[in-house]
Amino acid sequence: MTVMRSSLGAITVLAALALPRLVLADPCKLEISGNDQMQFDKHELWVAAGCKEVTLTLHHSGKLGKEIMGHDWVLVSAADFSAVASAGVGAGIANDYVAPGDQRVLAHTKVIGGGESTSVTFPTSILKPGGTYKYLCTFPGHYATMNGTFKFG
Ligand SMILES: [Cu+2]
């Protein structure tokens, strides 16, 4: 009897520790921030298999305008990374540095400047379970440092 009570107590303590994390972190909502030093604050993002939709919010923590230090967030298959980056440069800021109709772009935000935020929501049905993708900023010259790995499931 003593053994049962102590193991139940341990379970209660574990549940109490886990609960705040479950309540605060919605695994289907992601955030990332870019700065004036041409850096993202995260190099990996992960979405749980149970998410039907993902909302990615991009923040720009810097002060520079979007014409000189703009950032966006673009999701692609790893194999399309360089080609999408190149096509984006040619598309210009009017198209948020994403070539119009580019089927290789799975999801993207608009380009923002310092102090701004923007979001994009997309269904996970476009992703393969267990798949590994890449994200990047397509502002000219940024993708080499502003990129990361995106995992689903
Ligand atoms: Cu950028």
Side-chain angles (χ1 to χ4, degrees):
M1 201 59 193
T2 309
V3 172
M4 269 190 76
R5 285 180 68 181
S6 73
S7 64
L8 275 176
I11 290 166
T12 307
V13 168
L14 284 174
L17 288 173
L19 194 59
R21 291 185 60 188
L22 292 174
V23 171
L24 291 174
D26 181 340
C28 309
K29 289 187 165 51
L30 305 174
E31 298 202 36
I32 191 166
S33 186
N35 63 19
D36 283 343
Q37 285 72 48
M38 218 189 291
Q39 295 163 331
F40 279 136
D41 65 342
K42 291 173 186 160
H43 293 287
E44 186 170 306
L45 294 170
W46 172 74
V47 170
C51 297
K52 295 273 181 279
E53 271 187 350
V54 185
T55 298
L56 179 290
T57 300
L58 170 68
H59 304 284
H60 192 318
S61 61
K63 290 188 165 61
L64 299 172
K66 75 172 191 177
E67 294 80 10
I68 48 170
M69 187 51 73
H71 300 313
D72 64 2
W73 184 89
V74 178
L75 181 66
V76 295
S77 291
D80 296 328
F81 180 80
S82 299
V84 167
S86 299
V89 172
I93 197 164
N95 292 305
D96 291 306
Y97 294 110
V98 172
D102 192 336
Q103 298 294 310
R104 298 167 299 193
V105 172
L106 300 174
H108 75 94
T109 69
K110 64 178 186 173
V111 174
I112 58 171
E116 296 180 323
S117 293
T118 187
S119 294
V120 61
T121 299
F122 54 95
T124 55
S125 57
I126 64 170
L127 306 172
K128 287 191 199 118
T132 298
Y133 299 84
K134 293 282 286 180
Y135 61 84
L136 66 150
C137 172
T138 56
F139 192 96
H142 288 197
Y143 76 94
T145 53
M146 297 188 76
N147 65 76
T149 301
F150 183 98
K151 293 182 176 174
F152 173 58

